Amino acid sequence: MLSCNKIIHKLKTEHNANGEELLALLQCEDVKIAEALRQAAQEQAQATFGKNVFLRGLIEFSNFCKNDCLYCGIRRSNKNASRYRLTPQEILECCTTGYALGLRTFVLQGGEDFAYDDKRLAEVVAEIKRQYPDCAVTLSAGERKPEIYREWFEAGADRYLLRHETANAEHYAKLHPSELQLTARLECLQNLKEIGYQVGTGFMVGSPYQTLENLVEDLLFIKNFNPHMVGIGPFIPHKDTPFGKEAVGSAKLTLKLVSILRLLLPQANLPATTALNTLLPNGHQQGILAGANVIMPNLSPQNVRDKYTLYDNKKHSGSEAAEGIALLRQQLAEIGYEIAISRGDYPGVIK
Ligand code: 5AD
């Protein structure tokens, strides 16, 4: 029997663990071990970031998508989705609102909408950087050709989010149509890193067919890829998808994985995600206490927020919304943390 205390000690001191050790930790049901892991991750997050939380303003610029991922509410086959795309002007207005609220990173996230082609998005990025030179721009717009990633980077984009979703090819094939391949996804991640982006990847916890062994593969992939950011959240079914009747992912397991990721990658930016906060009433606080250091308030215009529904009951008001920053600040103060008004780059990245 592997001792989970020893595994936690190894994670704390060496920031590493092998597959067998990670599996033992994931299988362990002992509440004392869970608490020791959480404590260790919290201490590591504080050692890296102090008690500061970085914010990212999330602008959901389009819910058109050419893809048909089985889990996602904006998949192209969902005829009930009411489609929208923001104009460049509307995106810039979101930034104006966000800047006044103290946000210094804007995340432009959308489906793979080819009306927002390389040129159009490059122009938006360049304009945001012209108007807000002290802000970082993160893109999250799916799989594209390396030349396009390069064009966006040259226009000023600093970071890119592209979750790998699952590091196991067979599992990947159960979540995606055959035109989407894990190898292509991983190639995109590699290209993004080579171009010079701060890169974020991640996965859903409790997606259909996922096993604990699959999660171990995710952790080992992430440790090896060494991304600057990792976003994970529980799978939450969306009624108009083939997975509409599947079970919801576990918030507890998500928190455990956040803690393991914090110890594996002590410097990484880890969000307490919207999906976690949707499932758990105090998900932001719980995520931060488990070792996360980022929260991404929703900055999209009010009239489209209901439409960017990747999963059912997605939260977009209260402390989840950019207008709710005062409430968020209060919730963080309750646990002894504060919001940092800063771009919140990966430690050591000079801009
Ligand atoms: N539940 C939870 N997360 C989801 N995502 C997409 N659909 C769902 C869902 N039903 C996540 C994916 C994607 C990110 C933008 O949202 O991991 O990469």
Side-chain angles (χ1 to χ4, degrees), residues 165-194:
E165 311 297 357
T166 169
N168 178 286
E170 278 168 39
H171 186 216
Y172 198 92
K174 291 180 179 160
L175 302 181
H176 300 97
S178 59
E179 66 263 23
L180 287 175
Q181 295 276 333
L182 179 60
T183 47
R185 181 66 54 108
L186 299 183
E187 210 174 297
C188 286
L189 284 166
Q190 199 56 47
N191 291 336
L192 288 161
K193 220 181 191 184
E194 280 164 20

Side-chain angles (χ1 to χ4, degrees), residues 21-84:
E21 291 163 337
L22 291 168
L23 186 62
L25 207 48
L26 291 180
Q27 284 168 337
C28 174
E29 299 275 357
D30 185 332
V31 290
K32 285 213 188 86
I33 294 291
E35 188 49 31
L37 176 63
R38 190 176 97 117
Q39 276 303 326
Q42 200 180 104
E43 281 163 23
Q44 180 58 61
Q46 288 175 15
T48 310
F49 303 101
K51 289 195 169 189
N52 295 307
V53 174
F54 297 139
L55 300 187
R56 321 296 195 199
L58 183 63
I59 304 169
E60 298 156 329
F61 69 89
S62 168
N63 72 349
F64 283 89
C65 192
K66 75 167 181 58
N67 287 332
D68 217 19
C69 307
L70 277 76
Y71 46 84
C72 185
I74 64 167
R75 67 200 301 267
R76 67 163 186 264
S77 307
N78 182 7
K79 300 289 177 260
N80 293 330
S82 152
R83 305 284 169 175
Y84 73 90

Side-chain angles (χ1 to χ4, degrees), residues 69-74 109-110 140 161-165 176 185 202-205 207-208 231-238 241 243 248-249 275-276 308-312:
C69 307
L70 277 76
Y71 46 84
C72 185
I74 64 167
Q109 185 175 87
S140 178
L161 302 177
L162 182 66
R163 289 187 178 180
H164 67 283
E165 311 297 357
H176 300 97
R185 181 66 54 108
F203 55 90
M204 291 174 286
V205 179
S207 59
I232 66 166
F235 164 74
I236 304 175
H238 184 293
T241 65
F243 291 161
V248 63
L276 178 63
Y308 198 83
T309 359
L310 308 185
Y311 45 83
D312 290 335

Side-chain angles (χ1 to χ4, degrees), residues 92-114:
L92 283 157
E93 282 163 16
C94 295
C95 298
T96 307
T97 308
Y99 194 88
L101 290 168
L103 299 172
R104 296 295 178 268
T105 291
F106 303 115
V107 180
L108 273 51
Q109 185 175 87
E112 288 189 26
D113 174 2
F114 284 98

